[in-house]
Amino acid sequence: MFPELNNLLNTTPDRAEQGKLTLLCDAKTDGSFLVHHFLSFYLKANCKVCFVALIQSFSHYNIVGQKLGVNLTMARERGQLVFLEGLKSAVDIFFQAQEKPHPLQFLREANAGNLKPLFEFVREALKPVDSGEAGWTYPVLLVDDLSVLLSLGLGAVAVLDFIHYCRATVCWELKGNVVVLVHDSGDVEDEENDILLNGLSHQSHLILRAEGLATGFCRDVHGQLRILWRRPSQSTSQRDQSLTYQYKIQDRSVSFFAKGMSPAVL
Amino acid sequence: MAAVATCGGDAGSAGSAVATGSKSNVTSFQRRGPRASGTNDSGPRLVSITGTRPSVRNGQLLVSTGLPALDQLLGGGLAVGTVLLIEEDKYNIYSSLLFKYFLAEGIVNGHTLLVASANEDPANILQQIGPVSSSRFGHYYDASKRIPQELIEASKWHGFFLPEKISSTLKVEPCSLTHGYIKLLQFIQNIIYEEGFDGSNPQKKQKNILRIGIQNLGSPLWGDDICCTENGDSSHSLTKFLYVLRGLLRTSLSVCIITMPTHLIQNKAVIAHITNLSDIVVGLESFIGSERETNPLYKDYHGLIHIRQIPRLNNLVCDESDVKDLGFKLKRKLFTIEWVQDNYLRQERNIYPPGFSYLLKQKDSAWGEGSLQHSTFLMSFLAKATAFASRLVRHSEPLKQTGSGRICQAAGPRLWHDGRRQEAPGLLGIPP
């Protein structure tokens, strides 16, 4: 996790909010650093994490996680992390017939399927174990990323249904958190992606939007991060507060600064 | 079969405890040297494979694309386990050239090749290139010579020619992938499994790289209608193919090049999907037949090369190059890529020798008819790291050029130190 981002979001692993849906989106840049941040954040917060990783392999997240101070292999072995490796599962499901329903069953289907098997998998992974061992604080579902599901033939409505079911189970029933990443196609006319993005934006409590700079590539400022808090909690009087920062990604951390205040320019 | 990795799964077990049917967790992203705790040293020794070298950034295994100029732009080479997608130029001249460079590099290094094409016999493709000279990493290929026949025969290659592999009657489960794509995926998976590139077979310890080349993927010859209509029946066939291919590559010692006629794809959203599902995306734009052929800025270049995406593998950062306007030119032996403005600046530097101050009137731009951005560009080039020249001052003798001529940074605060200029000693000197 990035300490500077924790400061901006005003959270620490000890006192993070529960029952929230966080939407990460990126436009014209790569927002995967946010996924790494939240993965290490929730692992350090001692949560039970179910990570649906559709776009990269386990070792990729593991190596980056080690730079951020978490060991995914150990977390997986002791049961804190349930990792669904989409790429490996896709190869298995494509070349070998499966007896029981597989979370990524829709890959084999000719017409647009639904994500019910995937939801069953998530629910099974995050349901509280009654034996009372190794008390994890609360469950977290992390999905990287949902746009892959759209490009594999699912409709935006199917993906929205899946998120709705996950929210009902994880956020409301189990008092956990859900974090998802969606790519914003920007000026390209992608209707399904826009439906998905708009639908999720209305449901989320926190939106982190990583954008490339409008003026193009810059070596010292990699992009701009917009933070939008929605659905304010009852006690404080935050009302759809929005903040914008620029950031630069380094080898082991990301540094944030106000717009125009990059250390390279000052 | 447990396709889901839960606790106590097969992640950390060594290659000896591999059950039949399940693959050991050999990925190509392994560090050289001491491994992370908890995993035994499974899989082949990656250090000793010919034609590969570890990346300086994180020890990832890299292979050459066959074009040293492109290797430099990609941060040293192509990472093993990734897909290089080349968006074809309009007449498929230079993209097929890059394709052949890639394959020739594999032959020269002794890698196993897998060539897939729907319109040309793979045996013909392999004969069309020949090596000339080698650099430290990668070789330079002469487009006019043919590769020595014995080299091809000595190398191991598998060809997939679509018209031969498709038979008319074949019972296949209705899946939304085109028949051609299904056959190709099965072919690739077969080769990877049979020859042990994925490390699943403990007997066949493979110490070689599999180079996969797929030509004109997405064209109608593959049975895909993505280039013909906007919302066809098989609109997700290609993306599913890329996804399963990515899964195959990530778990094996292979690297793949795909050329795709993206300029023909009707639905632009699909191109965004394809870009997200590929690792490196390079677009080629040739000047043949376009009005850019006569633009003086692009004189001597045959086209532009756009590096659209570079992956961040095992890392938060990636090796993006600073320079975005890259042009390429093909002399007989050399395919070079350089910053487009370099050529222009070479000419301009003769007209405006350094060490002088210049008053730049807007009409003086050599480009267009006094367009503002061109003269601004020229002015900033001439200014280099110094403040803008705004007086016409002639010194007794011109000074040696100090900078490289490329714009590296704007005028910064370190220009002024103690109230006196440090960086440009000549411009404000009082003539004797």
Side-chain angles (χ1 to χ4, degrees), chain A residues 250-263:
Chain A
Q250 282 136 359
D251 192 41
R252 285 174 184 266
S253 69
V254 178
S255 60
F256 293 87
F257 35 86
K259 285 210 284 194
M261 306 286 274
S262 158

Side-chain angles (χ1 to χ4, degrees), chain A residues 2 30 32-33 36 54-57 59-60 63-64 66-68 71 76-79 82-84 86-92 94-96 98-100 102-103 106-110 121 147-148 150-153 183 188-190 217 219 249-253 266, chain B residues 1-8 10-12 21 23 25 27 29 31 36-39 57-58 173-177 182 185-186 189 236 239-240 243-244 246-248 250-251 267-269 272-273 276-277 279 312-317 320-324 408 413:
Chain A
F2 309 127
D30 190 4
S32 55
F33 69 97
H36 294 298
L54 296 171
I55 199 72
Q56 296 283 9
S57 61
S59 57
H60 166 81
I63 293 179
V64 182
Q66 280 170 3
K67 297 188 180 190
L68 301 184
N71 190 334
R76 191 163 64 167
E77 277 167 17
R78 63 172 187 251
V82 176
F83 197 97
L84 173 60
L87 291 172
K88 200 158 80 133
S89 311
V91 172
D92 293 333
F94 192 78
F95 293 109
Q96 289 152 14
Q98 302 288 313
E99 315 83 23
K100 48 185 176 64
H102 188 274
F106 62 89
L107 276 176
R108 283 193 86 88
E109 286 160 18
F121 168 79
S147 302
V148 171
L150 289 182
S151 54
L152 291 176
H183 294 301
V188 176
E189 291 282 328
D190 193 351
F217 170 74
R219 211 173 10 167
I249 304 179
Q250 282 136 359
D251 192 41
R252 285 174 184 266
S253 69
L266 292 176
Chain B
M1 182 192 61
V4 170
T6 55
C7 59
D10 50 51
K23 309 208 178 359
N25 201 15
T27 65
F29 303 136
R31 281 185 194 268
S37 64
T39 59
R57 185 182 276 283
N58 53 4
E173 225 178 88
C175 181
S176 72
L177 260 82
I182 299 178
L185 278 175
Q186 285 170 346
Q189 194 260 350
H236 297 286
T239 44
K240 278 193 188 179
Y243 190 69
V244 180
R246 190 177 167 118
L248 279 174
R250 287 286 202 269
T251 51
N267 189 352
K268 299 301 169 196
H273 289 314
N276 288 336
L277 288 173
D279 296 298
R312 293 165 196 257
L313 290 168
N314 302 343
N315 234 326
L316 287 171
V317 296
E320 234 176 315
S321 93
D322 291 348
V323 180
K324 298 294 173 186
C408 295

Side-chain angles (χ1 to χ4, degrees), chain B residues 309-375:
Chain B
Q309 181 174 273
I310 298 211
R312 293 165 196 257
L313 290 168
N314 302 343
N315 234 326
L316 287 171
V317 296
C318 65
D319 280 317
E320 234 176 315
S321 93
D322 291 348
V323 180
K324 298 294 173 186
D325 299 319
L326 296 163
F328 65 86
K329 55 183 157 193
L330 178 66
K331 301 291 166 55
R332 204 160 61 100
K333 292 179 188 174
L334 226 44
F335 188 107
T336 44
I337 302 176
E338 45 181 54
W339 188 41
V340 166
Q341 274 83 342
D342 264 344
N343 205 17
Y344 180 75
L345 293 176
R346 267 182 237 127
Q347 304 162 35
E348 291 294 326
R349 225 171 281 154
N350 299 330
I351 307 175
Y352 300 105
F356 293 84
S357 299
Y358 295 95
L359 178 63
L360 203 63
K361 294 199 289 238
Q362 201 158 318
K363 282 195 302 193
D364 282 350
S365 163
W367 243 325
E369 289 299 315
S371 60
L372 179 60
Q373 57 259 43
H374 295 150
S375 49

Side-chain angles (χ1 to χ4, degrees), chain B residues 28-176:
Chain B
S28 38
F29 303 136
Q30 286 166 341
R31 281 185 194 268
R32 212 165 56 129
R35 298 272 302 272
S37 64
T39 59
N40 300 328
D41 189 31
S42 67
R45 302 281 321 265
L46 296 178
V47 224
S48 53
I49 307 181
T50 50
T52 65
R53 69 170 178 187
S55 148
V56 292
R57 185 182 276 283
N58 53 4
Q60 215 164 281
L61 207 58
L62 299 177
V63 297
S64 168
T65 53
L67 189 58
L70 188 59
D71 286 340
Q72 273 178 4
L73 289 169
L74 301 182
L78 195 55
V80 174
T82 58
V83 173
L84 165 62
L85 176 74
I86 300 202
E87 299 184 348
E88 290 175 10
D89 51 308
K90 207 155 104 179
Y91 302 107
N92 196 16
I93 301 174
Y94 300 105
S95 44
S96 68
L97 204 56
L98 291 190
F99 188 76
K100 288 171 199 156
Y101 286 152
F102 181 85
L103 297 177
E105 182 71 27
I107 292 184
V108 166
N109 283 319
H111 297 160
T112 309
L113 298 184
L114 197 163
V115 186
S117 172
N119 53 338
E120 205 177 343
D121 196 352
N124 290 344
I125 300 177
L126 281 179
Q127 297 197 338
Q128 287 168 16
I129 206 75
V132 173
S133 64
S134 60
S135 73
R136 282 173 317 214
F137 184 63
H139 301 77
Y140 294 103
Y141 299 99
D142 185 357
S144 58
K145 294 215 188 89
R146 289 168 84 87
I147 203 167
Q149 190 62 27
E150 53 270 9
L151 258 185
I152 298 187
E153 278 156 20
S155 69
K156 195 140 186 272
W157 63 275
H158 306 273
F160 181 95
F161 187 35
L162 189 67
E164 288 171 5
K165 302 284 183 178
I166 292 260
S167 64
S168 49
T169 61
L170 201 62
K171 194 176 74 64
V172 70
E173 225 178 88
C175 181
S176 72

Side-chain angles (χ1 to χ4, degrees), chain B residues 153-297:
Chain B
E153 278 156 20
S155 69
K156 195 140 186 272
W157 63 275
H158 306 273
F160 181 95
F161 187 35
L162 189 67
E164 288 171 5
K165 302 284 183 178
I166 292 260
S167 64
S168 49
T169 61
L170 201 62
K171 194 176 74 64
V172 70
E173 225 178 88
C175 181
S176 72
L177 260 82
T178 316
H179 193 36
Y181 293 158
I182 299 178
K183 298 293 293 179
L184 178 56
L185 278 175
Q186 285 170 346
F187 185 76
I188 294 175
Q189 194 260 350
N190 203 28
I191 301 283
I192 289 179
Y193 181 64
E194 290 294 315
E195 308 210 353
F197 286 105
D198 57 359
S200 64
N201 197 336
Q203 261 90 32
K204 301 183 189 162
K205 283 242 165 205
Q206 186 57 257
K207 282 216 268 183
N208 207 351
I209 303 278
L210 173 68
R211 283 189 185 233
I212 306 174
I214 308 177
Q215 211 180 29
N216 299 128
L217 191 68
S219 78
L221 288 171
W222 284 97
D224 197 356
D225 60 358
I226 209 168
C227 292
C228 314
T229 69
E230 202 164 321
N231 288 312
D233 299 327
S234 57
S235 50
H236 297 286
S237 184
L238 182 56
T239 44
K240 278 193 188 179
F241 171 85
L242 287 175
Y243 190 69
V244 180
L245 179 68
R246 190 177 167 118
L248 279 174
L249 289 175
R250 287 286 202 269
T251 51
S252 61
L253 281 175
S254 46
V255 67
C256 180
I257 189 174
I258 302 179
T259 67
M260 190 182 287
T262 48
H263 56 98
L264 295 176
I265 294 184
Q266 306 285 316
N267 189 352
K268 299 301 169 196
V270 171
I271 301 182
H273 289 314
I274 291 170
T275 306
N276 288 336
L277 288 173
S278 317
D279 296 298
I280 306 184
V281 181
V282 169
L284 291 174
E285 180 190 338
S286 83
F287 291 150
I288 300 176
S290 84
E291 73 265 8
R292 290 187 175 182
E293 236 173 343
T294 51
N295 192 329
L297 178 64

Side-chain angles (χ1 to χ4, degrees), chain A residues 24-261:
Chain A
L24 312 171
C25 70
D26 55 18
K28 291 204 184 128
T29 186
D30 190 4
S32 55
F33 69 97
L34 294 170
V35 175
H36 294 298
H37 163 83
F38 279 103
L39 178 61
S40 51
F41 179 88
Y42 284 118
L43 282 177
K44 285 190 179 167
N46 217 15
C47 302
K48 176 139 195 204
V49 178
C50 174
F51 190 8
V52 178
L54 296 171
I55 199 72
Q56 296 283 9
S57 61
F58 175 77
S59 57
H60 166 81
Y61 295 103
N62 195 15
I63 293 179
V64 182
Q66 280 170 3
K67 297 188 180 190
L68 301 184
V70 288
N71 190 334
L72 294 190
T73 322
M74 271 178 43
R76 191 163 64 167
E77 277 167 17
R78 63 172 187 251
Q80 189 189 7
L81 173 66
V82 176
F83 197 97
L84 173 60
E85 199 169 341
L87 291 172
K88 200 158 80 133
S89 311
V91 172
D92 293 333
I93 198 178
F94 192 78
F95 293 109
Q96 289 152 14
Q98 302 288 313
E99 315 83 23
K100 48 185 176 64
H102 188 274
L104 299 183
Q105 190 73 28
F106 62 89
L107 276 176
R108 283 193 86 88
E109 286 160 18
N111 44 2
N114 62 8
L115 286 168
K116 197 151 172 295
L118 187 59
F119 166 67
E120 301 286 335
F121 168 79
V122 169
R123 190 173 58 178
E124 186 63 34
L126 289 180
K127 71 168 186 229
V129 183
D130 295 327
S131 60
E133 37 90 325
W136 310 116
T137 43
Y138 50 89
V140 171
L141 167 66
L142 199 54
V143 183
D144 178 22
D145 56 67
L146 288 181
S147 302
V148 171
L149 294 174
L150 289 182
S151 54
L152 291 176
L154 288 165
V157 177
V159 182
L160 282 171
D161 285 344
F162 166 70
I163 294 294
H164 179 76
Y165 271 81
C166 287
R167 261 187 61 214
T169 311
V170 179
C171 293
W172 189 79
E173 193 184 316
L174 300 173
K175 306 281 185 297
N177 286 342
V178 176
V179 181
V180 296
L181 173 70
V182 181
H183 294 301
D184 187 1
S185 45
D187 44 0
V188 176
E189 291 282 328
D190 193 351
E191 272 184 44
E192 296 277 308
N193 206 17
D194 291 338
I195 294 174
L196 177 64
L197 194 56
N198 288 334
L200 285 179
S201 304
H202 284 294
Q203 297 176 28
S204 350
H205 299 96
L206 175 64
I207 303 179
L208 291 175
R209 202 182 144 88
E211 299 165 345
L213 294 178
T215 42
F217 170 74
C218 173
R219 211 173 10 167
D220 300 303
V221 179
H222 291 153
Q224 188 164 288
L225 183 71
R226 276 219 213 135
I227 309 175
L228 178 64
W229 283 274
R230 301 186 72 254
R231 300 253 187 103
S233 54
Q234 307 296 16
S235 50
T236 69
S237 58
Q238 284 179 333
R239 191 145 287 278
D240 270 28
Q241 187 190 1
S242 161
L243 290 176
T244 309
Y245 296 95
Q246 291 178 341
Y247 61 86
K248 175 174 179 179
I249 304 179
Q250 282 136 359
D251 192 41
R252 285 174 184 266
S253 69
V254 178
S255 60
F256 293 87
F257 35 86
K259 285 210 284 194
M261 306 286 274

